[in-house]
Amino acid sequence: MKAISSAGNRSGNPGRWVALGLIAAIDLILLYGVTMMYASGETPFALLVLLIITTGTWVFISHKGYSYRYVYPALLGVSVFIVFPLLYTVNVAFTNYSSSNLLPLERVKAIHMAKTYRTPGESYSFKAWQQGENYQLLFISNKDTDKHLISAPFGELTEPTEVNARLSSELPDGKELAFRDTIQIRHILKLLTIMLPDGGSLSMTSLREFGPQTRIYDEGPNDTLIDSRNGDILTPDMTTGYYVDNTGEQIGPGFTVFNGWDNFSRVISDPGIQGPFLQIFTWTLTFSALSVLFTLIIGLLMACLVQWEPLKGNGVYRLLLILPYAVPAFISILIFRGLFNQNFGEINMLLNMLFGIQPEWFSNGFLAKTMVLIVNTWLGYPYMMILSIGLLKSIPDDLYEASAIDGATPIQNLFKITIPLIIKPLIPLLIASFAFNFNNLVLIALLTDGAPNIIGATTPAGATDLLVSYTFRIAFGQYGQDYGLASAIATFIFLMVGVIAWLNLKATRRFTE
Amino acid sequence: MIVQPRNLKYRVWATRIFMILFLCLIMFPFLMIISVSFRSGNFATGDLIPSNPSLEHWYLAFGIPWENPDGSVIQPPFPVMLWLWNSIKVSFVSTILILLLSTTGAYAFARLRFKFKEHMLTAMMILQMFPAVLALVAIYSLFDRLGNYIPWLGLDSLGSVTVAYLGGLALHIWLIKGYFETIDQSLEEAAAIDGATPWQAFRYVLLPLSVPILAVVFILAFITSIAEYPVASVLLQSMDNLTLAVGSRQYLNPQNYLWGDFAAAAVLSGLPISIIFLLCQRWIVGGLTAGGVKG
């Protein structure tokens, strides 16, 4: 390959300059983005992009990086969408990031700083006038209706602006806006601070009124806020992620802070989490193991039957048997959700007709688990069958001929010839299948959504929930999103999957070499 | 010729009956759902073959309002065709990107020499066991931030889902790499002697020989993306942006249970995908076993 590699290094051709220019242009755009990200406090993301830029530039400019040019885009995809999210999740596991502590400290501080309160003084009702692109406001004092003020003209605004107003007896130029149209420009009006001739100021207090208003908080040292009404000091509590006042009361919204091992210790010690967690963990292992077992048994059996020559029409059988695999899983799982429905489902109708029973598939824990396993076996056996057919083909026919001469039964054939010969290459596949079922979120999310619920759980948890679906519901469920806790559990799953992946690698190495 | 036992005939018949019974069990959901899609109303229960078939649900699935005999008009509950179109767009674009990236990557891994090659391959094998599901919080956050700078990659955009699916590359790199290694290297070496750059050797020699595996990867990646649920369900929010996998779930809400409408939509959208799969099953199966056996 030496010849090929050195051939690519001819420099000095015009194409190279075009490429260099292109790389420089892309780099410039990305660097601008990095600056923007860094400026808005997104340090991890800025660092990520910076890393991508430097490695990318090196790979596409340096001669040494030539071979990497082919792998770089693929590696980039893998790192940005697998490795980085994994690291980021572990990072989030050590924070209190959740729907109540969503924003960074600076943003929460800005929210507090923008809070205002009504100060005593004259309020004014107002009307808006439009002339071209500009607006003017006419203020009429509520106390003294003869007192009219007119604001200086202003246009479209994006940030808070001060506008002067003067006493006047005539109307502004242009046409008066109807109330409906005035509401349309309220996003501009909210940004206005009207400076009165006597030194006071007004801001919008309601849809029809401007009144004297002042900010509640002034900025103090070390991110503290000083209440301008009574001199109270709010200090940011960096362990709970809330501003607290003198009495220790928390004032929302909270901000995101690192809280160390809190999320992990909650999993271990909080009875409302620990109990369901262990229960779900056991079920996840049981579910994955049983799924692999059932799909393997049925898959292998079907593979043997389909491969059996005297059975004519093997192709047709095979095609029909693969059908559950051909239909997208999200459709077939939802079909089962409907078929198993307690009241309208066809399965209960049939059972009622035949045996007079109507099992509660979604509200009884044991039945729900049974249903999940039935559906997953139905979904999964074709894959095992396909793999087994491939492996069975590699067994030489004369082994079976020899055993037939010795008068062996099919059962003996299966256990003495077939299984010992295919078990080695099968093991890595079984481990992979175990890992897949371990993380089978789609099945649970679409079929039961965890139902029936575990009683006494702090976070939503169900009897059929797998660890992934439990995590998913903590992070994106309807009852408050706790990203920190979800990430802590996800970190735990990473470790589990890591162990499974390592086992798989070992098994593959051992059985293929 | 294998020595045949004497009672072969009975065994064949027993197997055949067993197979047919098993197939009935397996096919039951499909037959049921087709039958349900022709029933009138969403709650009516009925036989396997509907006694008074109606095209109500099919009209609604195609987005055409249905007029009942009594004159009342039912509007389609969900934009199924739009969802299908979204799914196809997302899957098509992400599949093309996956194909581009994994082919070049596989070429380097199969043919070029560079540092850390073995490590990278091992890392990818391990990483492919970590599905995107496990890092949804991070993926959500990533696209939330990204949307501040590039709106068409933000939350609730089809762009974000398309790009997020690129994480599934690793498996395909392994598949294509395995295929490249079965092609004789001397062809490319001959090209190199004639003055071809590695890129030209790849583009004009190796690639035309690899069309079969590229087709397999295309179909596999396409089907995987179309059926993907978790990432899409987190990233997409507004009704018009949903993919089929996320949208279909809306039908079976306990508050708004539309069993019949779902049936028609499911058959309508599941059928093309299943047919593509069955038509290509010979190659897909080959690819799956090869990829599976290699890890």
Side-chain angles (χ1 to χ4, degrees):
Chain A
M1 285 326 288
K2 205 72 180 151
I4 288 189
S5 302
S6 58
N9 292 345
R10 287 173 305 178
S11 52
N13 52 350
R16 187 169 165 75
W17 292 105
V18 176
L20 276 180
L22 200 66
I23 292 172
I26 295 173
D27 278 2
L28 274 178
I29 296 170
L30 288 174
L31 279 173
Y32 174 72
V34 170
T35 325
M36 296 272 290
M37 283 185 196
Y38 183 72
S40 54
E42 314 271 18
T43 320
F45 289 93
L47 279 177
L48 176 76
V49 179
L50 199 62
L51 191 73
I52 294 172
I53 297 174
T54 39
T55 47
T57 311
W58 179 78
V59 161
F60 283 97
I61 287 182
S62 159
H63 290 316
K64 281 185 189 163
Y66 184 81
S67 301
Y68 293 102
R69 279 178 214 178
Y70 292 88
V71 244
Y72 185 74
L75 286 181
L76 192 65
V78 172
S79 13
V80 172
F81 298 110
I82 304 183
V83 181
F84 179 74
L86 289 186
L87 297 178
Y88 189 81
T89 307
V90 175
N91 184 48
V92 171
F94 292 96
T95 69
N96 64 350
Y97 189 36
S98 61
S99 52
S100 59
N101 297 58
L102 198 61
L103 300 170
L105 175 60
E106 302 83 57
R107 297 269 299 277
V108 171
K109 191 173 156 193
I111 290 175
H112 284 306
M113 295 286 290
K115 285 181 184 165
T116 55
Y117 72 104
R118 182 91 159 72
T119 44
E122 224 173 335
S123 65
Y124 295 80
S125 53
F126 73 96
K127 287 192 168 98
W129 261 262
Q130 182 174 26
Q131 187 182 32
E133 290 290 295
N134 282 328
Y135 301 99
Q136 266 184 298
L137 297 180
L138 170 71
F139 296 102
I140 304 147
S141 169
N142 288 343
K143 240 193 290 176
D144 176 6
T145 41
D146 286 340
K147 191 173 165 191
H148 290 195
L149 289 144
I150 295 181
S151 76
F154 55 90
E156 190 73 32
L157 299 174
T158 52
E159 50 190 41
T161 310
E162 289 182 359
V163 171
N164 287 320
R166 60 186 166 81
L167 280 170
S168 164
S169 52
E170 45 211 77
L171 296 175
D173 301 328
K175 67 173 175 58
E176 188 184 340
L177 289 180
F179 183 62
R180 191 179 62 241
D181 299 321
T182 312
I183 293 174
Q184 297 267 319
I185 59 164
R186 70 180 183 280
H187 62 282
I188 308 177
L189 301 180
K190 278 190 176 159
L191 295 170
L192 289 177
T193 306
I194 306 293
M195 308 305 289
L196 297 177
D198 59 8
S201 67
L202 301 174
S203 51
M204 196 172 169
T205 49
S206 74
L207 281 176
R208 293 176 188 274
E209 255 189 15
F210 269 64
Q213 272 184 328
T214 320
R215 289 220 181 87
I216 300 181
Y217 298 109
D218 289 322
E219 198 169 358
N222 299 330
D223 288 327
T224 54
L225 297 171
I226 300 161
D227 192 327
S228 56
R229 290 169 299 188
N230 48 21
D232 273 358
I233 295 177
L234 295 193
T235 39
D237 184 339
M238 299 311 282
T239 51
T240 59
Y242 281 98
Y243 269 101
V244 287
D245 63 11
N246 295 351
T247 59
E249 197 182 330
Q250 294 179 337
I251 294 169
F255 47 89
T256 314
V257 290
F258 281 97
N259 60 358
W261 295 90
D262 275 13
N263 291 319
F264 294 93
S265 61
R266 271 171 77 198
V267 176
I268 297 166
S269 56
D270 183 341
I273 299 175
Q274 183 228 23
F277 179 82
L278 286 179
Q279 200 177 328
I280 288 169
F281 179 57
T282 323
W283 162 239
T284 307
L285 291 182
T286 323
F287 164 79
S288 318
L290 288 180
S291 296
V292 173
L293 187 71
F294 293 158
T295 51
L296 178 67
I297 291 175
I298 298 188
L300 191 58
L301 179 71
M302 287 301 142
C304 291
L305 293 181
V306 166
Q307 289 290 88
W308 196 36
E309 268 170 43
L311 192 74
K312 291 196 181 68
N314 298 5
V316 180
Y317 288 128
R318 199 176 105 156
L319 196 71
L320 289 176
L321 283 170
I322 286 181
L323 213 53
Y325 199 59
V327 178
F330 71 91
I331 290 180
S332 32
I333 294 171
L334 285 171
I335 292 178
F336 274 108
R337 186 188 167 113
L339 290 179
F340 273 108
N341 187 295
Q342 158 104 40
N343 301 317
F344 320 112
E346 276 67 20
I347 289 180
N348 271 8
M349 237 158 57
L350 212 64
L351 288 177
N352 194 22
M353 221 159 64
L354 295 175
F355 310 106
I357 48 168
Q358 279 198 311
E360 305 163 307
W361 295 109
F362 289 91
S363 44
N364 177 316
F366 178 76
L367 285 175
K369 287 177 178 179
T370 316
M371 170 183 72
V372 167
L373 278 172
I374 292 175
V375 175
N376 202 34
T377 309
W378 184 92
L379 284 169
Y381 85 86
Y383 178 66
M384 287 293 180
M385 184 181 88
I386 292 169
L387 293 180
S388 305
I389 289 178
L391 293 171
L392 288 178
K393 276 186 183 152
S394 64
I395 302 177
D397 275 346
D398 39 356
L399 286 177
Y400 293 105
E401 256 175 71
S403 81
I405 291 166
D406 291 343
T409 63
I411 304 290
Q412 281 173 324
N413 274 347
L414 182 70
F415 283 101
K416 301 275 174 182
I417 302 177
T418 315
I419 289 184
L421 276 174
I422 63 168
I423 195 75
K424 280 188 172 183
L426 203 55
I427 279 186
L429 302 173
L430 295 185
I431 297 178
S433 165
F434 183 88
F436 172 80
N437 282 312
F438 195 88
N439 295 318
N440 201 340
L441 172 69
V442 183
L443 176 71
I444 303 299
L446 293 182
L447 186 60
T448 62
D449 208 8
N453 281 327
I454 294 175
I455 297 159
T458 325
T459 54
T464 53
D465 258 327
L466 300 178
L467 280 177
V468 260
S469 62
Y470 179 50
T471 319
F472 184 80
R473 288 213 283 164
I474 292 176
F476 302 102
Q478 295 150 341
Y479 312 104
Q481 287 104 26
D482 195 338
Y483 302 118
L485 182 64
S487 300
I489 299 176
T491 307
F492 178 75
I493 306 178
F494 292 162
L495 296 178
M496 293 288 303
V497 174
V499 171
I500 300 174
W502 178 76
L503 279 178
N504 193 14
L505 199 67
K506 280 251 163 192
T508 318
R509 290 260 158 90
R510 173 171 305 173
F511 295 124
T512 51
E513 278 159 22
Chain B
M1 186 61 210
I2 296 183
V3 185
Q4 303 291 9
R6 234 167 287 146
N7 55 355
L8 182 73
K9 213 173 174 185
Y10 301 110
R11 279 201 204 169
V12 171
W13 273 107
T15 315
R16 216 164 267 170
I17 290 168
F18 171 76
M19 276 297 237
I20 288 165
L21 285 178
F22 185 78
L23 279 175
C24 288
L25 202 65
I26 293 300
M27 303 294 287
F28 173 73
F30 297 130
L31 300 177
M32 234 29 253
I33 204 73
I34 293 171
S35 139
V36 170
S37 74
F38 288 106
R39 270 185 210 156
S40 54
N42 273 313
F43 294 101
T45 50
D47 316 308
L48 188 55
I49 297 155
S51 42
N52 50 347
S54 120
L55 283 176
E56 172 187 348
H57 304 306
W58 283 92
Y59 267 79
L60 297 180
F62 277 107
I64 308 164
W66 169 261
E67 199 181 337
N68 279 329
D70 61 8
S72 60
V73 174
I74 307 172
Q75 290 298 326
F78 300 113
V80 188
M81 296 313 270
L82 185 65
W83 289 344
L84 186 62
W85 176 230
N86 285 344
S87 283
I88 291 173
K89 272 194 291 191
V90 167
S91 309
F92 190 76
V93 177
S94 69
T95 305
I96 295 284
L97 289 175
I98 285 179
L99 208 57
L100 280 177
L101 298 188
S102 52
T103 320
T104 50
Y107 171 66
F109 281 121
R111 292 291 199 256
L112 300 180
R113 253 188 265 159
F114 51 94
K115 263 190 198 167
F116 309 122
K117 188 164 114 176
E118 290 307 313
H119 295 103
M120 285 181 190
L121 278 171
T122 314
M124 276 213 226
M125 186 133 125
I126 291 185
L127 282 175
Q128 87 185 18
M129 307 262 294
F130 289 90
V133 187
L134 294 179
L136 279 177
V137 171
I139 290 174
Y140 178 81
S141 193
L142 181 71
F143 284 103
D144 189 15
R145 311 271 163 98
L146 210 56
N148 293 336
Y149 307 98
I150 316 170
W152 58 268
L153 278 182
L155 290 182
D156 200 20
S157 69
L158 291 176
S160 64
V161 186
T162 313
V163 174
Y165 287 167
L166 293 186
L169 274 172
L171 173 75
H172 303 302
I173 292 188
W174 271 91
L175 255 178
I176 303 178
K177 174 184 164 273
Y179 190 87
F180 281 169
E181 280 167 352
T182 63
I183 296 177
D184 193 353
Q185 207 171 312
S186 55
L187 284 170
E188 292 148 71
E189 274 162 12
I193 291 167
D194 289 346
T197 62
W199 172 254
Q200 285 166 334
F202 167 64
R203 169 70 187 81
Y204 295 106
V205 180
L206 193 58
L207 222 46
L209 290 173
S210 317
V211 173
I213 190 70
L214 299 186
V216 169
V217 168
F218 184 90
I219 298 162
L220 272 181
F222 189 81
I223 288 177
T224 320
S225 320
I226 245 183
E228 204 281 343
Y229 170 79
V231 172
S233 78
V234 166
L235 292 181
L236 301 176
Q237 284 138 12
S238 60
M239 194 57 101
D240 286 345
N241 268 343
L242 298 186
T243 58
L244 197 61
V246 183
S248 310
R249 196 174 182 233
Q250 313 275 336
Y251 280 104
L252 298 185
N253 257 338
Q255 291 84 17
N256 188 18
Y257 194 78
L258 303 171
W259 186 215
D261 292 340
F262 167 75
V267 178
L268 176 70
S269 50
L271 212 57
I273 305 172
S274 312
I275 289 175
I276 293 177
F277 187 97
L278 289 177
L279 285 179
C280 312
Q281 55 126 348
R282 193 176 297 274
W283 299 287
I284 295 179
V285 167
L288 271 181
T289 37
V293 172
K294 291 209 176 75

